[in-house]
Amino acid sequence: FVGLQNYSKAMHHPIFLLTLQNTTLYAVMTIPTVIVLALIVALIIFQLPKLQGFFRGTVYFPLIIPIVIAANIWAYIVNRDFGPLNAILGWFGIPHIDWLGDPTWAIPAIVMMEIWRGFGFYVIILFAALQSVPKELYEAARIDGARSLRIIWNITIPLLRPAFGFCFIMATIFNFQLFDPIYVLTKGGPAWKTSTVSWYVFQQAFEADNVGFASTMGVVLLIVILTLSLIQLRFFRSDIEY
């Protein structure tokens, strides 16, 4: 028994602090982007007169692909030499980017994968919430002369507040526990630039056989996620009834 020694070590451990910083960066880059994109797609599908089920299934499909397969597909897409993403950038005169090997671009490459793979989940949630908004409110707003953007900003978004709360909390949990893409694509490299807390917990527990320190980092991560979730739960709590 070492008391709080591992917690003191964690607070001064440079690699753990770097993984915590990386994990926060993943979340900050991914969560707002994926939810805004999901809202836009959900609104577009909601306006379609037909084939709504088809498009909902299409956007959700990447989420049901096993993560190893999805990661390998993404590794091909962002490949430095023959990847489609670099080929498209080449049309605009942009030189090839080593997406997973360059410390500057490695995190954005994984963020793009997480957005591509996960935004369908939030589309389904927000689409379901859109269906629960009374159509009478939209009709009344149009009679009063409100335009589409005004209706979305003043009616749709406020009434989707509980759904947004759920999406933000789930996205926070998912992204602060990010592990699979790191393990498959980069193994935390280059130079620890893509390592996350979950990946470092795994590395310390099962590769370095440092279970006590790994457990400490897991508890710290739990506290961070719990704190952020409670803050978001309070912020998105809605008293709106309709």
Side-chain angles (χ1 to χ4, degrees):
F1 180 71
V2 295
L4 300 177
Q5 181 178 332
N6 277 330
Y7 291 94
S8 176
K9 177 183 176 182
M11 294 301 101
H12 299 87
H13 197 284
I15 296 179
F16 171 66
L17 295 177
L18 177 61
T19 61
L20 190 59
Q21 176 183 325
N22 290 341
T23 304
T24 304
L25 183 59
Y26 279 117
V28 170
M29 294 177 67
T30 304
I31 294 173
T33 307
V34 74
I35 293 180
V36 170
L37 180 61
L39 176 62
I40 294 171
V41 174
L43 288 169
I44 292 173
I45 296 176
F46 187 70
Q47 299 298 325
L48 296 176
K50 297 180 180 179
L51 299 177
Q52 290 185 353
F54 170 77
F55 286 106
R56 279 182 292 169
T58 300
V59 298
Y60 193 79
F61 180 75
L63 196 63
I64 65 176
I65 300 175
I67 182 60
V68 175
I69 296 176
N72 280 283
I73 292 173
W74 192 252
Y76 166 74
I77 292 173
V78 299
N79 186 277
R80 179 186 59 186
D81 300 318
F82 52 80
L85 182 56
N86 273 336
I88 294 172
L89 294 177
W91 297 344
F92 301 96
I94 300 175
H96 285 191
I97 297 172
D98 187 4
W99 289 100
L100 297 176
D102 187 334
T104 303
W105 295 104
I107 286 181
I110 295 176
V111 167
M112 288 189 293
M113 175 189 165
E114 285 299 295
I115 293 172
W116 161 69
R117 184 172 177 269
F119 89 102
F121 172 78
Y122 306 104
V123 170
I124 299 302
I125 299 299
L126 294 175
F127 182 86
L130 285 170
Q131 290 181 309
S132 68
V133 177
K135 293 181 174 56
E136 294 82 3
L137 297 177
Y138 294 128
E139 294 171 357
R142 291 190 182 95
I143 291 173
D144 290 339
R147 303 291 183 180
S148 297
L149 291 178
R150 188 76 172 179
I151 291 173
I152 292 172
W153 183 257
N154 288 87
I155 297 178
T156 304
I157 291 179
L159 294 182
L160 292 184
R161 189 167 180 170
F164 281 129
F166 176 80
C167 289
F168 270 94
I169 290 172
M170 295 304 297
T172 299
I173 294 172
F174 292 154
N175 285 278
F176 270 87
Q177 292 181 336
L178 189 64
F179 169 79
D180 298 340
I182 310 303
Y183 181 79
V184 175
L185 293 174
T186 65
K187 295 291 191 297
W192 302 95
K193 290 298 184 180
T194 62
S195 56
T196 61
V197 175
S198 294
W199 179 85
Y200 195 51
V201 167
F202 166 83
Q203 194 271 341
Q204 287 293 301
F206 300 106
E207 296 181 4
D209 198 27
N210 195 356
V211 179
F213 186 51
S215 301
T216 298
M217 293 187 292
V219 172
V220 173
L221 182 61
L222 169 65
I223 294 172
V224 171
I225 293 175
L226 179 61
T227 302
L228 292 174
S229 298
L230 291 175
I231 293 172
Q232 292 173 343
L233 188 64
R234 183 171 182 82
F235 178 78
F236 286 104
R237 186 171 58 188
S238 175
D239 299 325
I240 296 175
E241 296 183 2
Y242 54 86

